[in-house]
Amino acid sequence: MQLGEEKKERKEQADRSLNLGDAEKKTLSSVFRADADASLLSARAPPINAYRGRSVWITGASQGLGARLALEYYRLGAHVVLSSRSEEKLRAVAAAVVRAGGARGGALAPAPPPPPPPAPTVLPFDALAPYAKLEEAAARAAEASREAWAEREGEAQGGGSSSRSSPAAHSSPPSQREAPPPRLSLLVLCAGASQHAAAAATTAAVSDAILELNAAAPIRLTRAALPHLLETAAAAAATKANETGAAAGAGAAAGAGAASGKKGADPLLPPAAAVLGVSSMAALVPSPGQAAYSASKAALALYLRSVEAELFDRGLRTTTVYPGPLSSSSPSSGEDGEDSEDGRIFSTTAVRTVYGSSGLKKEGAEAVSSKAREDRKRLDGARAAGLIVTAGYHGIGEALLGKHPVLLLGHLARGGGVVSGGLPQRLLRKVLSKVGPARAAALEEGRGGYDAGALLSSTTSSSSQGGKKQA
């Protein structure tokens, strides 16, 4: 009972602090109460084996959301290439993906279940390395993709023997053998680091480091991967043209409609070649205590949108997702908790290393405790990974995902200022002007920054105390 009264009092304090008008309250009430935007929620989940024959290269795959995305793509039939700096952590993730990925598709999986994709490839490298090293990494990812699927298809055709070791594979001279087709279909940019420090206290060196890691590094890696992704797109276009020609010939012979295919089939899903950037809601919503981080994530998002506009006619697509804060859950429908080995690997609320005012720092006990208290306001990690994969599968250009109030702020940030007379932006600015100082201080001190009610209460209390002192 006491908790309910405190919650009611906090809400009343927030209403008094914001001093919302009727139009602003109407705007708030009209926002969908969901965990993603409408375009994403209306999209169907990818079917079983949606990525069969394709390879997905994931950076930042050694923990958290990157590891969860690896599991999701593996369960959809993809060969995953896992990258980060730590080979040891990547090997642990690769083993966990194979273990947890065994139950692919759940109750809706076909019987017999589809064969598993090739085992994950571990490809460690430093995202901050010179560009030549990134080109080498991209070439290795593309080659690993070709070899993994060539070997898997050779095993299927030869009853367990690899195509590279089969006598038939070597019956012609090397110069006459057909090279395996390109398979690198998707680059997932999930590496990066957050920031918990006020802008005025953050050194220039730290701001530079954040922009380098979260923006410049993935931009360079995308450039290094583009030739390989465009090669995959060109090969897919050629295959589609050949199939269309063959189908047209069959249709002419068999009668009208014979080549129309199954109703509802969409050969464009997923895109033949794409880049999926994991940005942040902080790229849309001004984020006190994370100013440089916000700028870095916004820079990556705009780069990807521009690249797609340039290369759309060559078959490249980009998707940018803006997740809010994440909670954690088990890797396989609640069967294992975070205390298990796989639970720790896939956890999205583990202690992180973030940028403070003067350099990197480990999140303290207070930050971990705040995450636990804010858990109901955070989007489940497994749910987030599933939504992100769905967005990429459908080629959705941009997608927001998270819990309210963060999702609400994201909607306001994108709320059509011209059409609505700027009301959403004015409302957003009013909210941020109230919670901004308190949030920056909370993050600087290692506390949570996503309980809007607590932040507004703190702001109201501070204002009241300041007023008493002046009196």
Side-chain angles (χ1 to χ4, degrees), residues 62-87:
S62 61
Q63 62 183 356
L65 183 59
R68 280 196 173 277
L69 289 172
L71 175 60
E72 289 292 324
Y73 282 112
Y74 182 84
R75 283 176 165 171
L76 291 174
H79 162 243
V80 291
V81 181
L82 310 177
S83 289
S84 76
R85 287 180 298 179
S86 173
E87 181 174 357

Side-chain angles (χ1 to χ4, degrees), residues 17 83 86 90 113 172 211 239 241 259 280 293 347 410 468:
S17 177
S83 289
S86 173
L90 288 174
S172 58
L211 292 168
T239 299
S280 168
Y293 174 77
S347 172
K468 290 179 181 178

Side-chain angles (χ1 to χ4, degrees), residues 157-230:
Q157 295 172 3
S161 61
S162 164
S163 62
R164 290 187 294 175
S165 60
S166 169
H170 301 280
S171 58
S172 58
S175 60
Q176 297 180 14
R177 294 177 200 153
E178 185 176 345
R183 301 287 193 168
L184 185 58
S185 180
L186 176 63
L187 170 63
V188 179
L189 301 169
C190 196
S194 189
Q195 175 191 20
H196 290 174
T202 301
T203 65
V206 166
S207 295
D208 289 346
I210 292 171
L211 292 168
E212 180 73 13
L213 179 61
N214 291 350
I219 286 173
R220 287 195 295 265
L221 184 63
T222 300
R223 174 61 186 87
L226 279 179
H228 306 286
L229 293 170
L230 291 174

Side-chain angles (χ1 to χ4, degrees), residues 9 38 81 85 120 124 127 137 151 167 197 206 209 258 266 286-287 304 359 365 370 376 386 411 446 458:
E9 175 63 22
V81 181
R85 287 180 298 179
E151 190 164 331
V206 166
D266 190 343
S287 299
L304 292 179
S370 294
R376 65 186 180 84
H411 284 305
S458 173

Side-chain angles (χ1 to χ4, degrees), residues 438 456-467:
L456 285 168
S457 297
S458 173
T459 301
T460 304
S461 300
S462 299
S463 300
S464 299
Q465 292 174 4

Side-chain angles (χ1 to χ4, degrees), residues 48 99 106 108 272 278 314 468:
I48 300 300
R99 286 193 300 268
L108 298 179
V278 179
R314 296 180 62 182
K468 290 179 181 178

